[in-house]
Amino acid sequence: MGITRNEPAGPQDAPGPFPAGPFAPEAFASARFAAEQRLAVATVREAGALVRARFQDEYDIQPKGDEGDVVTDLDLLAERLVVQRLREHYPHDRIVAEESGTLDGDGGPAAGPRRTWLVDPLDGSNNVVIGLPAYVVGVALCVDDEPVVGAIHDPVTDRTWSALTGCGAYGPHGRMTGPSGPLAASGPLLAWTQGHAVARDDPAARTLKSALEIRSRRLLQLWAPLLTWSMLARGDIDGFVGYRAEAIDFPAGALLAAEAGLEIRSLDGGAFRGSIDGPDTDRSFVAGRPQDMAYLLDLVRRSEALDHVP
């Protein structure tokens, strides 16, 4: 999965007007996919308001899979809202949603490359269930597997971060450029994520995560990858390491990081080529500033975890 730079995506019906406000910078105004970006931002903010209003209410919780993951009424309500908004404006596009799976377009004419919306209606469901206010709503648009629009909203702080391919990444305080200054002598502040399908005793995950914990100042695991990506783009952390990451929340976060000037590599240091439709074994990554990448990759190599990576 690379990062497309504002290339035409074929004709689509344009959505209705959305106010620019602080979430649609002037740099986005006339760019390709600007209408999609405004829709994504408006939608994640609307879904976020819904989740926040219900956060302390009683809601149903159901197990999802056999590894302790959960789905709540809030996930389903937020997803229904987001899917409805996307369908209203882009009925021909494919939607891949966390709980509903793949939803094909209406079969109408849609010339040009394939467009897919990725919807994570509540990234951090396990946090919500235990009352931890660390969750976000995320939406991305991919054109032929390349992310071109990403929007992430934190309902707790009412902050929104968005990226438009070739135009930068922006938050409430303007353009984001990632971490600044040299790495601390005590080690980098890193974050970790692993996909739901990764077993608790997976040897590569255990070895890699343990090595990073030893060699970093702190290793965060927030159970909300999109929130972590926003922290990296803002410069709150120095790097982000993922092992067999989920496809649903990767594009929005990766675009935010790339447009903030950060670099994403595979664990062996090569170009990252994971895709939303490919296997999760292709979505292991190291993300950080270009000038820090050699150091971060060395931490990974020294863990000897690569001997176990499929």
Side-chain angles (χ1 to χ4, degrees):
M1 180 185 296
I3 303 295
T4 299
R5 297 295 179 190
N6 244 325
E7 298 171 354
Q12 287 282 323
D13 298 330
F18 298 100
F23 311 107
E26 190 63 31
F28 292 2
S30 59
R32 190 76 176 176
F33 310 115
E36 288 90 334
Q37 186 271 343
R38 292 195 299 272
L39 173 62
V41 167
T43 301
V44 294
R45 289 184 61 80
E46 185 180 3
L50 184 156
V51 173
R52 181 174 181 173
R54 296 281 305 275
F55 176 63
Q56 298 192 49
D57 292 348
E58 301 234 346
Y59 45 81
D60 191 43
I61 304 168
Q62 297 292 334
K64 185 169 72 171
D66 300 324
E67 299 300 325
D69 202 11
V70 296
V71 60
T72 73
D73 285 349
L74 303 186
D75 296 77
L76 302 176
L77 288 170
E79 181 171 293
R80 190 177 306 129
L81 185 155
V82 174
V83 169
Q84 180 179 342
R85 295 291 179 265
L86 297 178
R87 275 282 173 259
E88 288 169 356
H89 297 290
Y90 295 105
H92 307 330
D93 291 352
R94 183 176 74 147
I95 298 173
V96 178
E98 174 75 18
E99 309 306 335
S100 304
T102 300
L103 307 170
D104 291 325
D106 64 3
R114 185 177 69 168
R115 294 162 48 108
T116 303
W117 293 91
L118 286 300
V119 179
D120 195 340
L122 185 53
D123 187 32
S125 300
N126 283 284
N127 293 339
V128 170
V129 167
I130 63 174
L132 182 64
Y135 57 91
V136 293
V137 180
V139 168
L141 171 64
C142 289
V143 175
D144 279 352
D145 207 44
E146 307 295 335
V148 297
V149 167
I152 301 169
H153 178 65
D154 180 354
V156 178
T157 61
D158 195 30
R159 291 184 295 175
T160 305
W161 307 280
S162 66
L164 180 59
T165 179
C167 297
Y170 288 80
H173 302 296
R175 188 159 189 166
M176 297 186 292
T177 57
S180 61
L183 294 176
S186 55
L189 180 55
L190 302 179
W192 166 267
T193 188
Q194 63 187 54
H196 297 313
V198 178
R200 294 174 186 170
D201 59 352
D202 182 281
R206 290 174 59 188
T207 304
L208 178 55
K209 185 180 177 184
S210 295
L212 293 174
E213 286 178 324
I214 293 170
R215 298 186 174 99
S216 63
R217 180 159 45 104
R218 293 287 188 276
L219 186 66
L220 305 177
Q221 186 171 7
L222 298 181
W223 300 350
L226 285 174
L227 183 57
T228 308
W229 281 112
S230 72
M231 293 176 67
L232 181 62
R234 297 196 309 264
D236 297 336
I237 58 177
D238 298 311
F240 190 16
V241 179
Y243 179 68
R244 294 173 57 187
E246 296 297 313
I248 198 75
D249 49 39
F250 188 87
L255 183 64
L256 202 71
E259 290 295 327
L262 301 167
E263 191 173 353
I264 303 171
R265 298 274 197 94
S266 61
L267 294 184
D268 63 3
F272 181 83
R273 304 188 185 281
S275 70
I276 59 175
D277 292 317
D280 63 3
T281 50
D282 291 341
R283 287 192 298 274
S284 296
F285 65 87
V286 179
R289 295 186 303 180
Q291 61 265 41
D292 297 334
M293 190 53 64
Y295 178 85
L296 297 176
L297 288 169
D298 185 60
L299 293 184
V300 171
R301 292 190 186 101
R302 288 167 60 191
S303 74
E304 300 180 357
L306 291 183
D307 293 342
H308 303 285
V309 174

